[in-house]
Amino acid sequence: MVPRRRRPPPSVFIFPRFLHSSNPRFPHPRAKFPNHHRSSSPPPNPRTAPPRDSGSPFAAEMPPRRLSAKRRRCRATEAAAAEADALISLPPDVLDDILTRVGIRDAVRTSALSRAWRRRWEALSSLDLNFPSLGYDKVPLGAVDCILLRFPGSVRRFCANLDNAYAGRIHDWLRVLCRRGIEILDLRFGYGFALPSSVFSCSRLTSLTLTSCVIPLLPQGFVAFPELRRLTLVYVQLQEYGGYQLEEIIDTSPLLEYLSLISVLIRSDYVRKWVIRAPNLRHLVACSDYDDDGWILKKLTSLRCAEIAFTVFLVHRNFAKFLSGLVQVTELSVVTGYIPSSAKMPEILCKFHNLKILKLNVHFYKQHPIMLTLYLLKSAPNLEELKLKIYDEEELEFEANGEFLNALWADGMCANLQVVQMSGIHWLPNEMSFIKLILSKARGLHTLSISHSEEIVMSTEDALNELLRYRRASTEAQILFKGKTKDYY
C-alpha cells in the first residue's frame, strides 16, 4: 500500500514544478516579490497612499480623491439637515418671520428638510397666499385646496389671478377664507366672470380688489365692511341699480381711505345718480370712458389726492359739478382722452385753494385740452408745481397763439407757481406759445424743465435758442433741458 502524501501546512506554499525552471518566461515569484511571504497586508493603493518622496515635484500634482455623485448628494443633504436643525432652535417668532418672508411655496417645501420641520409651516399664526397665475398650467388648483385644508390658522392675504374655466372653485375658497378671517383679498378673472355673493360675507376685510368680473347684488342680511380701508374695482360690471349698491358699500365702510373706480359699468337703460360719501377718504381714483356714470361727490372732507381720467365726461355739463367735490385736495391728476371737436368745454367756477401739485396728461393739438389746462390754472391760486405730459399724435387742429392764450389769462394766475415740468413735447407752435406764456406771467417761477418726444417738428437747437429769447417775469427762472423723454406715457 502506497503511503498517502501529507498535505503541507497552510503557511507553506509549494509552487508547481514548472515554475522552478530557469525559463525566463516563468521567473521565480520571490524574484519579483522578495518579501511576499513576510507580509500579509494588501499592496498599497496608489490613489490613497501618500507619496514616497514628498520632495518630488509630482507629489503636489496628484489629484484629490473624487467623491461619487451619490456621496456628494448625501453629504449635501446632511449639511442641509444640520443647518435646518440649527435654524429650528431659533425663537418661534423669528422662525415665523422667516417662513412668512420666503413665501408659501418655499415655506411648504421646508417640510422635506427634517422631521422637526415637517409641520412647522402649519404652526404659523397667519399666511399670505399669492397665486399670480392660478389655473394657467403653472400652479395646480389642488395646491390651494391642500393648503387651506392643512393650515389651521388665519389667512391674512389671498391674491389670485384665475382663468374663468377654473374660477368656479372661488366660492368654496371664499367660504373657508371667511372663517379664517381674511383681511386682504385681490381677485382677478377673465372678463365677464360672475362673482359669487359669498365675497360679501368676509366682514373683516381691510382691502378688497376685484378685476374683470360681474358683481352680484347684495345678499339679504348684508351688514357692512366695518374695517375696509381700500376698495379697488377695475373693469367690473354691476347689475341694474348697481350705483345704489356701490353707495351702500361705501356708506357702510366708515374707515375707507382709498377708493379706485376704473371703467365700472352699470347695466341700466339710463343713468341714475348715486353718491360717494366717505368722510375719511384720502385718495380717490376715477376713470371712465362713458358719458356720465351718475356719481356725485359729497362730504369728502379728508380727501387729499385725486386722480381722474375722463374722455367724453370732460365736456359734460356735470363735469364742473363733479370737480366741485374735489376742491379740498392738495394734489390733483387729470388725464384727458379723445374729446369731440364739436363739444363745448364747460368753464370751471370752483376754486382749489389747497391745491399745490397739478398733474395733467393732455394733448395740445386741440382746443379743449388747452382750455381745460388754463381753467384749472385759474382755479388754483396757490398752485406751486405743474407737471404736464403731452402726447400729440396728430396734426394741429387749432392754433392757440398768444392772443388766444392771453384772452384766457386772468390776474393772479400762477402767482405762487415755482416749478413747471413738461415732457413729451414736439416743439409744436401751441406748445411753444404756452411755454412763452408761463415764462412771461409766472413771477415766482424757479425752474422750467423740458424733455421732448421721439418725433419733433423742429431741431432741438433751434427750439432752445427760441426759448432763450422769451421774456421772463421771474429773475430766478431757469430753463432745464432734460433731453428725450424716457418715461413717455
Side-chain angles (χ1 to χ4, degrees), residues 385-419:
E385 187 174 347
L386 173 63
K387 297 181 180 181
L388 288 175
K389 282 189 176 182
I390 303 174
Y391 48 96
D392 290 330
E393 299 178 354
E394 301 180 13
E395 297 181 357
L396 286 180
E397 296 183 4
F398 176 80
E399 184 179 355
N401 52 23
E403 182 180 355
F404 173 80
L405 296 177
N406 283 298
L408 296 175
W409 194 268
D411 295 337
M413 287 179 59
C414 300
N416 298 315
L417 187 62
Q418 301 177 7
V419 178

Side-chain angles (χ1 to χ4, degrees), residues 257-435:
E257 298 178 352
Y258 179 91
L259 177 62
S260 178
L261 304 175
I262 301 176
S263 297
V264 176
L265 175 63
I266 300 176
R267 296 176 178 176
S268 179
D269 296 334
Y270 58 93
V271 178
R272 293 181 173 88
K273 302 298 179 183
W274 60 282
V275 181
I276 299 178
R277 188 184 296 106
N280 290 320
L281 189 66
R282 301 183 62 85
H283 196 133
L284 174 64
V285 179
C287 175
S288 176
D289 295 330
Y290 309 112
D291 186 7
D292 187 7
D293 290 301
W295 39 30
I296 300 175
L297 306 180
K298 285 186 177 180
K299 297 183 180 180
L300 304 181
T301 55
S302 301
L303 191 63
R304 294 295 176 265
C305 181
E307 302 176 37
I308 59 176
F310 297 130
T311 52
V312 184
F313 188 59
L314 288 173
V315 293
H316 197 273
R317 62 181 182 276
N318 293 327
F319 177 68
K321 187 177 181 180
F322 177 83
L323 284 180
S324 63
L326 306 175
V327 293
Q328 61 274 18
V329 299
T330 58
E331 183 176 345
L332 177 62
S333 177
V334 181
V335 179
T336 65
Y338 174 76
I339 303 176
S341 302
S342 58
K344 182 180 179 181
M345 186 69 200
E347 187 174 0
I348 301 174
L349 301 177
C350 58
K351 294 293 184 180
F352 295 86
H353 293 284
N354 298 328
L355 188 61
K356 303 296 183 181
I357 301 175
L358 177 61
K359 302 178 182 179
L360 298 176
N361 287 29
V362 296
H363 45 74
F364 270 27
Y365 67 89
K366 284 189 176 183
Q367 179 181 1
H368 296 95
I370 300 175
M371 295 180 62
L372 175 63
T373 302
L374 293 174
Y375 284 162
L376 290 174
L377 290 177
K378 186 187 299 185
S379 303
N382 299 317
L383 186 66
E384 297 178 356
E385 187 174 347
L386 173 63
K387 297 181 180 181
L388 288 175
K389 282 189 176 182
I390 303 174
Y391 48 96
D392 290 330
E393 299 178 354
E394 301 180 13
E395 297 181 357
L396 286 180
E397 296 183 4
F398 176 80
E399 184 179 355
N401 52 23
E403 182 180 355
F404 173 80
L405 296 177
N406 283 298
L408 296 175
W409 194 268
D411 295 337
M413 287 179 59
C414 300
N416 298 315
L417 187 62
Q418 301 177 7
V419 178
V420 177
Q421 299 179 8
M422 297 183 65
S423 60
I425 65 176
H426 300 70
W427 308 122
L428 292 174
N430 290 354
E431 301 165 354
M432 302 296 289
S433 299
F434 180 80
I435 296 175

Side-chain angles (χ1 to χ4, degrees), residues 23 109 131 193 195 226 229 248 298 306 320 333 410 435 467 481:
N23 192 341
R109 287 178 176 176
F131 304 100
F193 173 76
L195 187 70
R229 297 180 180 272
E248 184 176 355
K298 285 186 177 180
S333 177
I435 296 175
L467 291 178
F481 179 61

Side-chain angles (χ1 to χ4, degrees), residues 31-95:
K32 189 173 183 181
F33 304 104
N35 298 325
H36 179 72
H37 65 286
R38 297 181 182 180
S39 176
S40 61
S41 59
N45 191 342
R47 292 188 176 182
T48 58
R52 296 181 179 179
D53 186 8
S54 59
S56 173
F58 302 96
E61 298 181 3
M62 293 182 65
R65 183 180 180 183
R66 297 182 60 185
L67 299 176
S68 62
K70 183 177 180 180
R71 184 61 179 170
R72 289 197 299 269
R73 288 194 299 266
C74 183
R75 288 193 175 183
T77 304
E78 293 175 357
E83 293 179 2
D85 293 338
L87 288 175
I88 203 67
S89 61
L90 293 174
D93 54 344
V94 177
L95 288 178

Side-chain angles (χ1 to χ4, degrees), residues 136 161-165 167 187-195 210-215 233-239 262-267 289-290:
Y136 293 93
N161 186 6
L162 282 165
D163 187 6
N164 284 0
L187 300 177
R188 305 169 189 270
F189 306 93
Y191 190 76
F193 173 76
L195 187 70
L210 301 175
T211 304
S212 300
C213 61
V214 180
I215 299 179
L233 303 178
V234 182
Y235 295 111
V236 302
Q237 301 180 37
L238 292 141
Q239 306 292 339
I262 301 176
S263 297
V264 176
L265 175 63
I266 300 176
R267 296 176 178 176
D289 295 330
Y290 309 112

